[in-house]
Amino acid sequence: MGENGVMFAGETARGWGSVGPKPYGLEKVEWTGKVPFEIQEIVAQPDGFILRFTHPVDPLSAENPANYSVAGFTYKYHSTYGSAPVNRLSCPIRRVEVSADRRSVRIGAICLREGYVHEIKALGVRSAGEGEGLVHPVAYYTLNEIPEGERLIPVETREPEFCVPLVPPSAMQSTKKHPTEAPADWKRRDGERALVLGTRPGMKFDQEELVVTAGETIQFVFRNSDDMLHNVVIWCPGTGQAVGAAAMAMGIDGPANNYVPESDDVLYHTALTQPESTERIFFTAPEQPGDYDYICSFPGHAGIMKGILRVRAR
Ligand SMILES: [Cu+2]
C-alpha cells in the first residue's frame, strides 16, 4: 500500500496475464471515490441465496426471475493440471424477493447441492436511478453446507423432474468449425499441406506465423506440450482479441463449447486440448488472401497466446 490508500499490484504472465497489450505489469490503483454497482455479499439460505448490492436496485429489474440464473457444478480431483466443470446442474429459480430498502434480493431456487460450487448470475439487474448494470454480474459460491432457517419456497416444492443435469454436447465431436475428419471429397486424403503448431512455456505458441495458400486443403495438428489446457481458434482478420473477450465471458459454459463463442468471425478451431496431447483438424484455407488471426481462447490467454495465419494468393 502506498500513501493515501493508493494500492500497487504486480502482474506476471504465468497463467493469468495482465489485461492489456503487455504480458507483465505494475498497476497503480487509486480509488475515484465512487462506489461501483456490484454484488457486495452473498449469503446462503435454506433454499437459495441473498444477494446484497452496493447500491439500491431498480425493483422492476431486480424482482424479475429471468434476470438471474443459478447452476451448480464441481471439479475433478486428479493428478493432471486443472479440470473442466463437471456434474453441472441448473437450479431453476422459483421466487425472487426484493428487500424494503432495495439493497438486497433473496433468490429461491431448487436443485441446490451441498459441496458444489454454485454460479450465480445477475445479468439483468439494474441500479435504481442511473439504471447501471453490475460491473461483475457473475459470482461463485461454494455451498459447503445448506443452512437451516426460514424458507422462501415451501418445502413441498421439490419438483425433482427439473433437477436434471444439462448434458452438454460433447466438446470433442466433429462440427463444421471443428472438423476432426478430412472431408471425403479431398483429393489428397491427408490434405495438401500439413501444419504443426506447438506450445512453449509461458502461454505461447511455438510459431507466431503460419503460411498457407488460398483454397488449399490443410491438415492442422496442434501439439499441446505445455502443462495447461490450450486451444487454437482461427478468426477473420482483426477480430481475435474481441472474440477472446467473448470467450472469457462464457463462464462455466465455456469448457463444453471449448471456450469458442458463437460468432461468424470464427473460421475453425481445435478442441480444448489437455496437457501433453494432440488435436488434429482438417479445413480448407480461406479463398480470400490476407492475415487471419489465431489465438488460444482459454480465459486469460488470448492477449499473448496468438499468431497470424498468412493466406497467400494462389
Ligand atoms: Cu492457452
mmCIF file of all heavy atoms in Angstrom, residues 34-69:
data_model
loop_
_atom_site.group_PDB
_atom_site.id
_atom_site.type_symbol
_atom_site.label_atom_id
_atom_site.label_comp_id
_atom_site.label_asym_id
_atom_site.label_seq_id
_atom_site.Cartn_x
_atom_site.Cartn_y
_atom_site.Cartn_z
ATOM 1 N N LYS A 34 -15.940 6.900 -6.066
ATOM 2 C CA LYS A 34 -17.271 6.473 -6.497
ATOM 3 C C LYS A 34 -17.394 4.960 -6.249
ATOM 4 O O LYS A 34 -16.541 4.191 -6.692
ATOM 5 C CB LYS A 34 -17.433 6.781 -7.991
ATOM 6 C CG LYS A 34 -18.829 6.516 -8.507
ATOM 7 C CD LYS A 34 -18.968 6.968 -9.961
ATOM 8 C CE LYS A 34 -20.373 6.735 -10.478
ATOM 9 N NZ LYS A 34 -20.625 5.389 -10.971
ATOM 10 N N VAL A 35 -18.454 4.558 -5.538
ATOM 11 C CA VAL A 35 -18.677 3.139 -5.284
ATOM 12 C C VAL A 35 -19.340 2.519 -6.514
ATOM 13 O O VAL A 35 -20.410 2.960 -6.925
ATOM 14 C CB VAL A 35 -19.575 2.928 -4.040
ATOM 15 C CG1 VAL A 35 -19.893 1.443 -3.837
ATOM 16 C CG2 VAL A 35 -18.905 3.501 -2.800
ATOM 17 N N PRO A 36 -18.718 1.531 -7.142
ATOM 18 C CA PRO A 36 -19.340 0.924 -8.320
ATOM 19 C C PRO A 36 -20.553 0.083 -7.927
ATOM 20 O O PRO A 36 -20.683 -0.326 -6.769
ATOM 21 C CB PRO A 36 -18.237 0.036 -8.888
ATOM 22 C CG PRO A 36 -17.356 -0.257 -7.725
ATOM 23 C CD PRO A 36 -17.440 0.921 -6.794
ATOM 24 N N PHE A 37 -21.441 -0.167 -8.886
ATOM 25 C CA PHE A 37 -22.610 -1.019 -8.642
ATOM 26 C C PHE A 37 -22.145 -2.469 -8.740
ATOM 27 O O PHE A 37 -21.790 -2.944 -9.820
ATOM 28 C CB PHE A 37 -23.709 -0.705 -9.660
ATOM 29 C CG PHE A 37 -24.971 -1.507 -9.452
ATOM 30 C CD1 PHE A 37 -25.529 -1.660 -8.188
ATOM 31 C CD2 PHE A 37 -25.611 -2.098 -10.528
ATOM 32 C CE1 PHE A 37 -26.695 -2.401 -8.001
ATOM 33 C CE2 PHE A 37 -26.785 -2.831 -10.358
ATOM 34 C CZ PHE A 37 -27.316 -2.976 -9.086
ATOM 35 N N GLU A 38 -22.119 -3.153 -7.603
ATOM 36 C CA GLU A 38 -21.571 -4.506 -7.519
ATOM 37 C C GLU A 38 -22.413 -5.358 -6.573
ATOM 38 O O GLU A 38 -23.164 -4.823 -5.763
ATOM 39 C CB GLU A 38 -20.141 -4.470 -6.941
ATOM 40 C CG GLU A 38 -19.107 -3.852 -7.849
ATOM 41 C CD GLU A 38 -18.544 -4.820 -8.871
ATOM 42 O OE1 GLU A 38 -19.271 -5.750 -9.283
ATOM 43 O OE2 GLU A 38 -17.386 -4.648 -9.257
ATOM 44 N N ILE A 39 -22.217 -6.677 -6.663
ATOM 45 C CA ILE A 39 -22.727 -7.572 -5.624
ATOM 46 C C ILE A 39 -21.728 -7.459 -4.479
ATOM 47 O O ILE A 39 -20.556 -7.782 -4.639
ATOM 48 C CB ILE A 39 -22.804 -9.025 -6.114
ATOM 49 C CG1 ILE A 39 -23.687 -9.146 -7.359
ATOM 50 C CG2 ILE A 39 -23.313 -9.932 -4.991
ATOM 51 C CD1 ILE A 39 -23.605 -10.499 -8.051
ATOM 52 N N GLN A 40 -22.189 -6.986 -3.316
ATOM 53 C CA GLN A 40 -21.266 -6.777 -2.207
ATOM 54 C C GLN A 40 -21.063 -8.070 -1.420
ATOM 55 O O GLN A 40 -19.972 -8.345 -0.938
ATOM 56 C CB GLN A 40 -21.827 -5.690 -1.279
ATOM 57 C CG GLN A 40 -20.904 -5.358 -0.131
ATOM 58 C CD GLN A 40 -21.379 -4.117 0.626
ATOM 59 O OE1 GLN A 40 -22.360 -3.476 0.251
ATOM 60 N NE2 GLN A 40 -20.687 -3.784 1.678
ATOM 61 N N GLU A 41 -22.128 -8.861 -1.325
ATOM 62 C CA GLU A 41 -22.067 -10.029 -0.446
ATOM 63 C C GLU A 41 -23.140 -11.027 -0.901
ATOM 64 O O GLU A 41 -24.198 -10.631 -1.387
ATOM 65 C CB GLU A 41 -22.363 -9.580 0.979
ATOM 66 C CG GLU A 41 -22.178 -10.629 2.022
ATOM 67 C CD GLU A 41 -22.593 -10.151 3.419
ATOM 68 O OE1 GLU A 41 -23.420 -9.223 3.539
ATOM 69 O OE2 GLU A 41 -22.097 -10.730 4.375
ATOM 70 N N ILE A 42 -22.844 -12.308 -0.705
ATOM 71 C CA ILE A 42 -23.847 -13.349 -0.967
ATOM 72 C C ILE A 42 -23.948 -14.213 0.281
ATOM 73 O O ILE A 42 -22.933 -14.620 0.844
ATOM 74 C CB ILE A 42 -23.467 -14.206 -2.184
ATOM 75 C CG1 ILE A 42 -23.450 -13.326 -3.443
ATOM 76 C CG2 ILE A 42 -24.444 -15.361 -2.365
ATOM 77 C CD1 ILE A 42 -23.155 -14.076 -4.712
ATOM 78 N N VAL A 43 -25.180 -14.461 0.744
ATOM 79 C CA VAL A 43 -25.397 -15.256 1.957
ATOM 80 C C VAL A 43 -26.262 -16.454 1.589
ATOM 81 O O VAL A 43 -27.327 -16.305 0.979
ATOM 82 C CB VAL A 43 -26.101 -14.397 3.046
ATOM 83 C CG1 VAL A 43 -26.237 -15.195 4.336
ATOM 84 C CG2 VAL A 43 -25.330 -13.099 3.290
ATOM 85 N N ALA A 44 -25.787 -17.653 1.958
ATOM 86 C CA ALA A 44 -26.552 -18.872 1.656
ATOM 87 C C ALA A 44 -27.821 -18.920 2.490
ATOM 88 O O ALA A 44 -27.829 -18.504 3.646
ATOM 89 C CB ALA A 44 -25.684 -20.097 1.941
ATOM 90 N N GLN A 45 -28.879 -19.428 1.897
ATOM 91 C CA GLN A 45 -30.169 -19.594 2.556
ATOM 92 C C GLN A 45 -30.596 -21.070 2.423
ATOM 93 O O GLN A 45 -30.016 -21.799 1.622
ATOM 94 C CB GLN A 45 -31.213 -18.680 1.880
ATOM 95 C CG GLN A 45 -30.887 -17.202 1.977
ATOM 96 C CD GLN A 45 -30.897 -16.698 3.407
ATOM 97 O OE1 GLN A 45 -31.898 -16.779 4.093
ATOM 98 N NE2 GLN A 45 -29.745 -16.207 3.854
ATOM 99 N N PRO A 46 -31.623 -21.509 3.168
ATOM 100 C CA PRO A 46 -32.039 -22.917 3.067
ATOM 101 C C PRO A 46 -32.458 -23.297 1.647
ATOM 102 O O PRO A 46 -32.368 -24.468 1.270
ATOM 103 C CB PRO A 46 -33.233 -23.008 4.008
ATOM 104 C CG PRO A 46 -33.156 -21.823 4.877
ATOM 105 C CD PRO A 46 -32.406 -20.767 4.155
ATOM 106 N N ASP A 47 -32.915 -22.331 0.871
ATOM 107 C CA ASP A 47 -33.405 -22.639 -0.468
ATOM 108 C C ASP A 47 -32.969 -21.564 -1.467
ATOM 109 O O ASP A 47 -33.747 -21.109 -2.281
ATOM 110 C CB ASP A 47 -34.929 -22.772 -0.458
ATOM 111 C CG ASP A 47 -35.597 -21.556 0.180
ATOM 112 O OD1 ASP A 47 -34.862 -20.628 0.608
ATOM 113 O OD2 ASP A 47 -36.828 -21.524 0.260
ATOM 114 N N GLY A 48 -31.730 -21.140 -1.345
ATOM 115 C CA GLY A 48 -31.235 -20.142 -2.305
ATOM 116 C C GLY A 48 -30.190 -19.244 -1.695
ATOM 117 O O GLY A 48 -29.399 -19.670 -0.849
ATOM 118 N N PHE A 49 -30.202 -17.984 -2.115
ATOM 119 C CA PHE A 49 -29.157 -17.040 -1.701
ATOM 120 C C PHE A 49 -29.752 -15.650 -1.513
ATOM 121 O O PHE A 49 -30.733 -15.298 -2.158
ATOM 122 C CB PHE A 49 -28.061 -16.935 -2.777
ATOM 123 C CG PHE A 49 -27.392 -18.243 -3.082
ATOM 124 C CD1 PHE A 49 -27.848 -19.041 -4.121
ATOM 125 C CD2 PHE A 49 -26.320 -18.684 -2.320
ATOM 126 C CE1 PHE A 49 -27.237 -20.263 -4.406
ATOM 127 C CE2 PHE A 49 -25.695 -19.895 -2.591
ATOM 128 C CZ PHE A 49 -26.166 -20.686 -3.635
ATOM 129 N N ILE A 50 -29.116 -14.867 -0.635
ATOM 130 C CA ILE A 50 -29.414 -13.433 -0.570
ATOM 131 C C ILE A 50 -28.241 -12.705 -1.213
ATOM 132 O O ILE A 50 -27.084 -12.951 -0.878
ATOM 133 C CB ILE A 50 -29.612 -12.955 0.882
ATOM 134 C CG1 ILE A 50 -30.945 -13.485 1.427
ATOM 135 C CG2 ILE A 50 -29.606 -11.423 0.950
ATOM 136 C CD1 ILE A 50 -31.191 -13.162 2.891
ATOM 137 N N LEU A 51 -28.542 -11.855 -2.165
ATOM 138 C CA LEU A 51 -27.523 -11.017 -2.808
ATOM 139 C C LEU A 51 -27.652 -9.611 -2.250
ATOM 140 O O LEU A 51 -28.738 -9.023 -2.320
ATOM 141 C CB LEU A 51 -27.751 -10.963 -4.321
ATOM 142 C CG LEU A 51 -27.137 -12.066 -5.185
ATOM 143 C CD1 LEU A 51 -27.595 -13.442 -4.740
ATOM 144 C CD2 LEU A 51 -27.475 -11.850 -6.649
ATOM 145 N N ARG A 52 -26.559 -9.099 -1.666
ATOM 146 C CA ARG A 52 -26.580 -7.734 -1.167
ATOM 147 C C ARG A 52 -25.788 -6.871 -2.146
ATOM 148 O O ARG A 52 -24.688 -7.242 -2.556
ATOM 149 C CB ARG A 52 -25.938 -7.696 0.233
ATOM 150 C CG ARG A 52 -26.714 -6.835 1.199
ATOM 151 C CD ARG A 52 -26.379 -7.155 2.655
ATOM 152 N NE ARG A 52 -27.430 -7.942 3.280
ATOM 153 C CZ ARG A 52 -27.211 -8.916 4.159
ATOM 154 N NH1 ARG A 52 -25.983 -9.226 4.508
ATOM 155 N NH2 ARG A 52 -28.227 -9.570 4.684
ATOM 156 N N PHE A 53 -26.349 -5.731 -2.513
ATOM 157 C CA PHE A 53 -25.724 -4.884 -3.530
ATOM 158 C C PHE A 53 -25.133 -3.626 -2.899
ATOM 159 O O PHE A 53 -25.531 -3.216 -1.802
ATOM 160 C CB PHE A 53 -26.749 -4.497 -4.608
ATOM 161 C CG PHE A 53 -27.276 -5.682 -5.366
ATOM 162 C CD1 PHE A 53 -28.430 -6.342 -4.943
ATOM 163 C CD2 PHE A 53 -26.621 -6.152 -6.489
ATOM 164 C CE1 PHE A 53 -28.907 -7.443 -5.637
ATOM 165 C CE2 PHE A 53 -27.094 -7.262 -7.189
ATOM 166 C CZ PHE A 53 -28.250 -7.911 -6.759
ATOM 167 N N THR A 54 -24.204 -2.994 -3.597
ATOM 168 C CA THR A 54 -23.572 -1.769 -3.077
ATOM 169 C C THR A 54 -24.473 -0.548 -3.232
ATOM 170 O O THR A 54 -24.237 0.475 -2.592
ATOM 171 C CB THR A 54 -22.243 -1.492 -3.810
ATOM 172 O OG1 THR A 54 -22.506 -1.452 -5.221
ATOM 173 C CG2 THR A 54 -21.205 -2.554 -3.522
ATOM 174 N N HIS A 55 -25.464 -0.617 -4.114
ATOM 175 C CA HIS A 55 -26.424 0.482 -4.296
ATOM 176 C C HIS A 55 -27.832 -0.105 -4.329
ATOM 177 O O HIS A 55 -27.986 -1.283 -4.659
ATOM 178 C CB HIS A 55 -26.185 1.207 -5.629
ATOM 179 C CG HIS A 55 -24.924 1.996 -5.681
ATOM 180 N ND1 HIS A 55 -24.632 3.013 -4.801
ATOM 181 C CD2 HIS A 55 -23.851 1.905 -6.515
ATOM 182 C CE1 HIS A 55 -23.458 3.523 -5.089
ATOM 183 N NE2 HIS A 55 -22.945 2.865 -6.121
ATOM 184 N N PRO A 56 -28.856 0.683 -4.035
ATOM 185 C CA PRO A 56 -30.222 0.185 -4.191
ATOM 186 C C PRO A 56 -30.474 -0.251 -5.640
ATOM 187 O O PRO A 56 -29.917 0.331 -6.569
ATOM 188 C CB PRO A 56 -31.099 1.398 -3.831
ATOM 189 C CG PRO A 56 -30.226 2.290 -3.031
ATOM 190 C CD PRO A 56 -28.827 2.078 -3.539
ATOM 191 N N VAL A 57 -31.293 -1.300 -5.772
ATOM 192 C CA VAL A 57 -31.572 -1.829 -7.112
ATOM 193 C C VAL A 57 -32.857 -1.229 -7.672
ATOM 194 O O VAL A 57 -33.726 -0.777 -6.929
ATOM 195 C CB VAL A 57 -31.692 -3.360 -7.083
ATOM 196 C CG1 VAL A 57 -30.357 -4.000 -6.750
ATOM 197 C CG2 VAL A 57 -32.769 -3.824 -6.099
ATOM 198 N N ASP A 58 -32.945 -1.255 -8.970
ATOM 199 C CA ASP A 58 -34.185 -0.889 -9.643
ATOM 200 C C ASP A 58 -35.146 -2.064 -9.447
ATOM 201 O O ASP A 58 -34.858 -3.174 -9.903
ATOM 202 C CB ASP A 58 -33.881 -0.649 -11.133
ATOM 203 C CG ASP A 58 -35.108 -0.868 -11.991
ATOM 204 O OD1 ASP A 58 -36.134 -0.214 -11.710
ATOM 205 O OD2 ASP A 58 -35.048 -1.694 -12.918
ATOM 206 N N PRO A 59 -36.277 -1.863 -8.728
ATOM 207 C CA PRO A 59 -37.104 -3.022 -8.345
ATOM 208 C C PRO A 59 -37.665 -3.794 -9.537
ATOM 209 O O PRO A 59 -37.758 -5.013 -9.484
ATOM 210 C CB PRO A 59 -38.226 -2.402 -7.497
ATOM 211 C CG PRO A 59 -38.165 -0.945 -7.702
ATOM 212 C CD PRO A 59 -36.805 -0.588 -8.209
ATOM 213 N N LEU A 60 -38.012 -3.115 -10.610
ATOM 214 C CA LEU A 60 -38.588 -3.817 -11.774
ATOM 215 C C LEU A 60 -37.620 -4.866 -12.312
ATOM 216 O O LEU A 60 -37.998 -6.000 -12.591
ATOM 217 C CB LEU A 60 -38.911 -2.808 -12.878
ATOM 218 C CG LEU A 60 -40.388 -2.425 -13.025
ATOM 219 C CD1 LEU A 60 -40.575 -1.582 -14.276
ATOM 220 C CD2 LEU A 60 -41.290 -3.666 -13.075
ATOM 221 N N SER A 61 -36.354 -4.481 -12.450
ATOM 222 C CA SER A 61 -35.380 -5.435 -12.974
ATOM 223 C C SER A 61 -35.016 -6.465 -11.915
ATOM 224 O O SER A 61 -34.788 -7.634 -12.221
ATOM 225 C CB SER A 61 -34.125 -4.715 -13.465
ATOM 226 O OG SER A 61 -33.425 -4.135 -12.386
ATOM 227 N N ALA A 62 -34.981 -6.045 -10.629
ATOM 228 C CA ALA A 62 -34.487 -6.940 -9.575
ATOM 229 C C ALA A 62 -35.496 -8.003 -9.186
ATOM 230 O O ALA A 62 -35.121 -9.059 -8.678
ATOM 231 C CB ALA A 62 -34.085 -6.126 -8.348
ATOM 232 N N GLU A 63 -36.823 -7.757 -9.406
ATOM 233 C CA GLU A 63 -37.789 -8.778 -8.983
ATOM 234 C C GLU A 63 -38.140 -9.741 -10.118
ATOM 235 O O GLU A 63 -38.951 -10.628 -9.943
ATOM 236 C CB GLU A 63 -39.054 -8.115 -8.409
ATOM 237 C CG GLU A 63 -39.865 -7.340 -9.428
ATOM 238 C CD GLU A 63 -40.895 -6.404 -8.771
ATOM 239 O OE1 GLU A 63 -40.790 -6.160 -7.550
ATOM 240 O OE2 GLU A 63 -41.772 -5.917 -9.493
ATOM 241 N N ASN A 64 -37.487 -9.594 -11.254
ATOM 242 C CA ASN A 64 -37.764 -10.461 -12.393
ATOM 243 C C ASN A 64 -36.846 -11.696 -12.367
ATOM 244 O O ASN A 64 -35.637 -11.573 -12.576
ATOM 245 C CB ASN A 64 -37.547 -9.661 -13.685
ATOM 246 C CG ASN A 64 -37.862 -10.492 -14.918
ATOM 247 O OD1 ASN A 64 -38.197 -11.674 -14.814
ATOM 248 N ND2 ASN A 64 -37.733 -9.876 -16.082
ATOM 249 N N PRO A 65 -37.395 -12.900 -12.110
ATOM 250 C CA PRO A 65 -36.549 -14.099 -12.018
ATOM 251 C C PRO A 65 -35.710 -14.334 -13.288
ATOM 252 O O PRO A 65 -34.637 -14.936 -13.218
ATOM 253 C CB PRO A 65 -37.548 -15.240 -11.818
ATOM 254 C CG PRO A 65 -38.786 -14.591 -11.297
ATOM 255 C CD PRO A 65 -38.822 -13.214 -11.909
ATOM 256 N N ALA A 66 -36.191 -13.844 -14.422
ATOM 257 C CA ALA A 66 -35.458 -14.067 -15.673
ATOM 258 C C ALA A 66 -34.123 -13.333 -15.699
ATOM 259 O O ALA A 66 -33.271 -13.607 -16.541
ATOM 260 C CB ALA A 66 -36.309 -13.620 -16.857
ATOM 261 N N ASN A 67 -33.954 -12.382 -14.757
ATOM 262 C CA ASN A 67 -32.697 -11.629 -14.733
ATOM 263 C C ASN A 67 -31.602 -12.305 -13.906
ATOM 264 O O ASN A 67 -30.535 -11.733 -13.691
ATOM 265 C CB ASN A 67 -32.936 -10.214 -14.216
ATOM 266 C CG ASN A 67 -33.605 -9.357 -15.283
ATOM 267 O OD1 ASN A 67 -33.453 -9.630 -16.473
ATOM 268 N ND2 ASN A 67 -34.348 -8.347 -14.867
ATOM 269 N N TYR A 68 -31.883 -13.538 -13.432
ATOM 270 C CA TYR A 68 -30.887 -14.295 -12.667
ATOM 271 C C TYR A 68 -30.761 -15.694 -13.246
ATOM 272 O O TYR A 68 -31.678 -16.188 -13.894
ATOM 273 C CB TYR A 68 -31.333 -14.448 -11.204
ATOM 274 C CG TYR A 68 -31.650 -13.157 -10.510
ATOM 275 C CD1 TYR A 68 -32.927 -12.619 -10.578
ATOM 276 C CD2 TYR A 68 -30.676 -12.499 -9.776
ATOM 277 C CE1 TYR A 68 -33.230 -11.431 -9.932
ATOM 278 C CE2 TYR A 68 -30.966 -11.318 -9.123
ATOM 279 C CZ TYR A 68 -32.246 -10.781 -9.213
ATOM 280 O OH TYR A 68 -32.534 -9.613 -8.582
ATOM 281 N N SER A 69 -29.645 -16.334 -12.948
ATOM 282 C CA SER A 69 -29.575 -17.778 -13.159
ATOM 283 C C SER A 69 -28.628 -18.360 -12.120
ATOM 284 O O SER A 69 -27.689 -17.699 -11.657
ATOM 285 C CB SER A 69 -29.124 -18.113 -14.584
ATOM 286 O OG SER A 69 -27.770 -17.811 -14.751
#
